[in-house]
Amino acid sequence: MHYRIVAATCLVAALAFGAVSTVMGQNKQPAPKPKEEPRKEEPKPEPKPEPKKEEPKKEEPKPEPMSSEDYEGMMKKIKTAQGKLKANLKNKKGAEAAAAAEELAKLAADILRYDGDVKEGDNKGKKVRDQKDFKEWAEGLKKAAENLAKHAKASKWDDAETEKDNVARTCSNCHDVYDK
Ligand code: HEC
């Protein structure tokens, strides 16, 4: 081979090589971007059960409020029942005393219907029947009268006397605060 041809061939080869490597260099791909992790789907929250429609809370059916007038009439009956109770107890008439005590207990349940407002103090203007102590005294009267009826029927006079005093105490405790 002629020396020139060899040289030219070499040159071409060199150029070609250079070009190829340049191109390849250019082609060198940039480090592949870290593949984006496929977004992990947020775990879907369990489909919530349809929010239940708030049922109106079932409250104990409240008895009709009692006007002051009716209430006073009821208190008078309470006083009459208490009078009968005392007299029959004194004479040791168990059945009659028990009947009066039961009447008293029944009437006592109506005390919680009183529609009056508290007249003075922190709770002024609120319903008397919503006051804790008022409720306790009303319930205390009912309970004492019920116990008394049992004791009178069983001729347990001492126990009956104790409950008679408890009855009287609820009257005066409540009146001291709410009968103004
Ligand atoms: C839990 C409270 C409470 C208890 C217990 C209670 N009372 Fe009363 N009482 C009242 C209130 C309040 C009045 C006032 C009512 C009004 O003026 O509207 C009243 C009023 C009365 C009156 C007056 C009625 C009138 O004509 O003005 C009598 C009599 C009476 N009570 C008797 C009794 C007797 C007897 C007892 C017990 C055996 C008793 N009470 C237990 C709250 C109570």
Side-chain angles (χ1 to χ4, degrees), residues 17 27 29-31 36 42 67 80 85 98 117 134 146 152 157 174:
F17 183 76
N27 274 356
Q29 289 203 338
E36 249 175 56
E42 289 277 304
S67 71
T80 306
L85 172 62
D117 293 339
F134 184 87
E146 284 169 354
W157 308 117
C174 192

XYZ file of all heavy atoms in Angstrom, residues 17 27 29-31 36 42 67 80 85 98 117 134 146 152 157 174:
137
model
N -13.452 7.310 14.324
C -13.440 6.857 15.694
C -13.785 7.986 16.649
O -14.633 7.859 17.541
C -12.057 6.260 16.013
C -11.984 5.701 17.390
C -12.583 4.469 17.681
C -11.331 6.390 18.405
C -12.515 3.969 18.948
C -11.260 5.890 19.670
C -11.852 4.658 19.951
N -24.040 10.770 23.527
C -25.206 9.938 23.762
C -25.249 9.357 25.153
O -26.245 8.775 25.545
C -25.223 8.781 22.762
C -25.905 9.235 21.497
O -26.397 10.350 21.439
N -25.909 8.393 20.491
N -26.083 8.613 28.163
C -27.315 9.115 28.761
C -27.050 9.541 30.191
O -26.279 8.917 30.903
C -28.352 8.021 28.733
C -28.786 7.822 27.305
C -30.135 7.187 27.209
O -30.557 6.548 28.145
N -30.772 7.367 26.081
N -27.637 10.623 30.534
C -27.501 11.035 31.928
C -28.083 9.928 32.810
O -28.984 9.229 32.365
C -28.371 12.289 32.019
C -29.301 12.206 30.861
C -28.602 11.411 29.795
N -27.460 9.860 33.907
C -27.913 8.815 34.825
C -29.431 8.834 34.850
O -30.035 9.903 34.970
C -27.392 9.091 36.226
N -39.648 7.481 39.280
C -40.538 7.926 40.365
C -41.324 6.741 40.868
O -41.942 6.020 40.097
C -41.509 8.982 39.848
C -41.197 10.334 40.450
C -42.067 11.411 39.874
O -43.292 11.265 39.943
O -41.497 12.384 39.346
N -52.857 6.305 48.814
C -53.259 6.317 50.221
C -54.297 5.221 50.394
O -55.202 5.098 49.579
C -53.945 7.649 50.561
C -53.001 8.812 50.600
C -52.295 8.914 51.931
O -52.997 8.993 52.947
O -51.041 8.874 51.939
N -99.464 23.874 87.007
C -99.533 25.298 87.333
C -99.464 25.472 88.850
O -99.756 24.545 89.604
C -100.854 25.878 86.830
O -101.914 25.381 87.621
N -103.374 16.958 103.880
C -104.476 16.134 104.392
C -104.028 14.689 104.584
O -104.306 14.077 105.637
C -105.666 16.175 103.395
O -106.003 17.543 103.164
C -106.870 15.446 103.943
N -102.380 10.223 108.101
C -101.285 9.313 108.405
C -100.890 9.394 109.877
O -100.801 8.375 110.572
C -100.102 9.684 107.499
C -98.759 9.009 107.737
C -98.882 7.530 107.541
C -97.747 9.586 106.782
N -101.220 2.914 106.393
C -100.561 2.516 105.153
C -101.261 3.135 103.945
O -100.600 3.618 103.012
C -100.535 0.997 105.033
N -90.950 29.055 89.241
C -89.552 29.444 89.041
C -88.896 29.705 90.391
O -89.562 30.093 91.347
C -89.468 30.741 88.226
C -89.949 30.540 86.806
O -89.957 29.380 86.332
O -90.321 31.552 86.171
N -84.436 20.202 95.188
C -85.894 20.075 95.106
C -86.273 18.640 94.728
O -87.150 18.016 95.345
C -86.438 21.072 94.071
C -87.943 21.105 93.967
C -88.704 21.917 94.803
C -88.603 20.321 93.021
C -90.091 21.947 94.699
C -89.987 20.351 92.918
C -90.730 21.166 93.755
N -93.427 5.600 101.091
C -93.523 4.189 100.675
C -93.025 3.256 101.789
O -93.651 2.240 102.085
C -92.696 3.954 99.403
C -93.362 4.488 98.145
C -92.444 4.507 96.937
O -91.234 4.202 97.077
O -92.934 4.862 95.840
N -96.112 0.235 108.397
C -97.436 0.290 109.028
C -98.173 -1.025 108.804
O -98.811 -1.552 109.726
C -98.239 1.458 108.475
N -94.024 -0.279 114.349
C -94.351 1.100 114.730
C -93.153 2.001 114.883
O -93.210 3.181 114.501
C -95.221 1.100 115.983
C -96.414 0.199 115.832
C -96.692 -0.914 116.567
C -97.453 0.304 114.853
N -97.838 -1.510 116.102
C -98.333 -0.790 115.048
C -97.732 1.208 113.820
C -99.468 -1.000 114.255
C -98.866 0.997 113.044
C -99.715 -0.072 113.252
N -87.880 21.471 102.045
C -88.224 22.023 100.733
C -88.896 23.395 100.873
O -88.592 24.313 100.132
C -89.117 21.052 99.970
S -89.305 21.502 98.236
